[in-house]
Amino acid sequence: MTLPLSILDLAHIGDDGIAASFSASVELAQKAEGWGYTRIWFAEHHNMPSIASSATSVLIAHVAAYTESIRLGAGGIMLPNHSPLQIAEQFGTLETLHPGRIDLGLGRAPGSDQNTMRALRRDPSAADTFPQDVQELQAYFAGQTRIPGVNAYPGKDTHVPLYILGSSLFGARLAAALGLPYSFASHFAPQALEDAVRIYRREFRPSEALAEPYVIAGVNAIVADTQEEADALFLTAKRRRVASMVGRGRTFTDAEMDLLLDSPAGQQVLNMMRYSAVGTPAVAREYLEAFAEKAGADELIVATQVTDRAAWIRSFELLAGAMDLAPVA
């Protein structure tokens, strides 16, 4: 059986601007639909000049309008930034417009810095009620509101599937307790992957939503026609990542970025990209099959840290072929 493969579209904003990012997301989704990918998720981030998916539900609606069958969703919505009722209304609307195609992944991180949290009017303690907020949201979709007299319109009885996102053991335990599928962010937070999956599977309680545990593991992939091209794209991605996270907005030459890569801070940033398949289609397939086994994953969701639009789409095309995905007729 072919391992289900999905895409985390980072909605990168390049030199061509935000509108071009949205167009690229539509183009990728249309092609991924034909290549046989299971789903595409977008993540909620705020005040990040390189990511265009801050209004996550709006972007999902835009991409859904230009596609026909591929599942689309949030990977994820940072629920403490919102009221459960508002998210139920937004995703209930999406599900009503595009029935059977909408996913809702939920995280409890801010997706931003402290100043941005204040701009969002987020209560710093909001993450403490994340489990209760997930259950409140779940109840809206099931038509079993927990707040008397309050329902989500649209949203009620839409049964939008929920996924718990995590990068620590907290999410694993919550997903297990609620009987929900679990998606681990190992594409940028690899440390707790194996422990989190082990705990989730051990503590999983079947629910109306899910009879058996289901794990989606995040992984980076850069696939090219030659190993040399993939290595060059990966080096560019590493330089960009370490410059953005360590360089504090400064501009560096390639030589300076390579020095940053070799520094202790740079190595710490690079460890975030530990799980990365880089190479030709054959190399990528071998890596991803081994990673899926190591992670105990039922599905992989792939992020491609490439900013060149053509190389970005080509990477997903080559990967689909390597993994024998079933094209949509």
Side-chain angles (χ1 to χ4, degrees), residues 28 42 53 66 75 100 104 111 113 120 155 169 206 210 222 237 269 275 278 289 291 311 313-314 320:
L28 175 63
F42 302 92
S53 53
Y66 288 93
L104 177 50
D113 55 35
L120 287 167
L169 306 185
L210 194 65
I222 295 179
V269 172
Y275 294 128
V278 180
E289 287 178 341
F291 171 76
I313 288 181
R314 179 64 172 160

Side-chain angles (χ1 to χ4, degrees), residues 19-55:
S21 172
F22 295 151
S23 296
S25 290
V26 169
E27 180 184 359
L28 175 63
Q30 290 173 331
K31 291 182 175 179
E33 190 169 66
W35 293 332
Y37 283 91
T38 299
R39 69 187 90 239
I40 296 178
W41 282 357
F42 302 92
E44 178 187 351
H45 294 281
H46 298 283
N47 194 32
M48 297 187 70
S50 63
I51 295 179
S53 53
S54 54

Side-chain angles (χ1 to χ4, degrees), residues 12-306:
H12 172 74
I13 301 172
D15 294 336
D16 48 2
I18 293 175
S21 172
F22 295 151
S23 296
S25 290
V26 169
E27 180 184 359
L28 175 63
Q30 290 173 331
K31 291 182 175 179
E33 190 169 66
W35 293 332
Y37 283 91
T38 299
R39 69 187 90 239
I40 296 178
W41 282 357
F42 302 92
E44 178 187 351
H45 294 281
H46 298 283
N47 194 32
M48 297 187 70
S50 63
I51 295 179
S53 53
S54 54
T56 316
S57 59
V58 179
L59 181 55
I60 292 168
H62 176 66
V63 176
Y66 288 93
T67 51
E68 296 179 0
S69 59
I70 194 166
R71 296 194 67 86
L72 298 164
I77 289 293
M78 301 298 106
L79 191 54
N81 290 345
H82 314 272
S83 75
L85 177 60
Q86 288 175 313
I87 297 303
E89 291 167 343
Q90 290 174 21
F91 280 79
T93 299
L94 288 169
E95 174 62 26
T96 302
L97 291 171
H98 307 283
R101 296 181 55 201
I102 302 300
D103 299 329
L104 177 50
L106 300 167
R108 65 176 184 138
S112 58
D113 55 35
Q114 294 292 323
N115 283 338
T116 307
M117 283 176 61
R118 286 194 288 272
L120 287 167
R121 304 298 191 267
R122 171 173 169 157
D123 183 341
S125 66
D128 296 342
T129 61
F130 180 68
Q132 293 80 11
D133 289 346
V134 171
Q135 291 175 296
E136 181 182 334
L137 178 58
Q138 192 174 32
Y140 285 132
F141 289 135
Q144 299 170 355
T145 180
R146 291 182 162 224
I147 301 178
V150 177
N151 282 287
Y153 303 109
K156 182 181 180 182
D157 297 321
T158 55
H159 301 282
V160 175
L162 302 184
Y163 299 74
I164 298 298
L165 276 56
S167 57
S168 67
L169 306 185
F170 177 89
R173 291 194 167 97
L174 178 62
L178 297 180
L180 293 174
Y182 180 53
S183 181
F184 191 88
S186 34
H187 62 292
F188 74 86
Q191 290 83 353
L193 170 63
E194 292 175 79
D195 286 342
V197 172
R198 185 164 48 250
I199 288 170
Y200 169 68
R201 291 193 178 278
R202 184 183 70 222
E203 298 183 5
F204 180 83
R205 300 176 186 173
S207 68
E208 291 184 11
L210 194 65
E212 297 180 350
Y214 192 85
V215 173
I216 303 175
V219 62
N220 300 292
I222 295 179
V223 189
D225 292 285
T226 68
Q227 186 67 46
E228 291 75 18
E229 182 185 357
D231 288 339
L233 290 168
F234 191 41
L235 177 58
T236 298
K238 290 189 291 185
R239 285 170 171 169
R240 188 180 64 253
R241 172 68 71 88
V242 77
S244 66
M245 298 191 71
V246 179
R248 301 179 184 278
R250 293 175 53 197
T251 300
F252 299 95
T253 65
D254 287 350
E256 289 171 332
M257 284 190 285
D258 289 341
L259 288 175
L260 278 177
L261 288 174
D262 290 335
S263 71
Q267 290 299 304
Q268 185 176 3
V269 172
L270 290 182
N271 185 54
M272 297 170 64
M273 303 172 72
R274 182 195 311 171
Y275 294 128
S276 296
V278 180
T280 62
V283 168
R285 175 173 180 145
E286 182 178 1
Y287 183 94
L288 291 182
E289 287 178 341
F291 171 76
E293 183 174 355
K294 175 185 177 69
D298 300 292
E299 178 182 333
L300 299 181
I301 187 162
V302 177
T304 296
Q305 307 281 344
V306 175

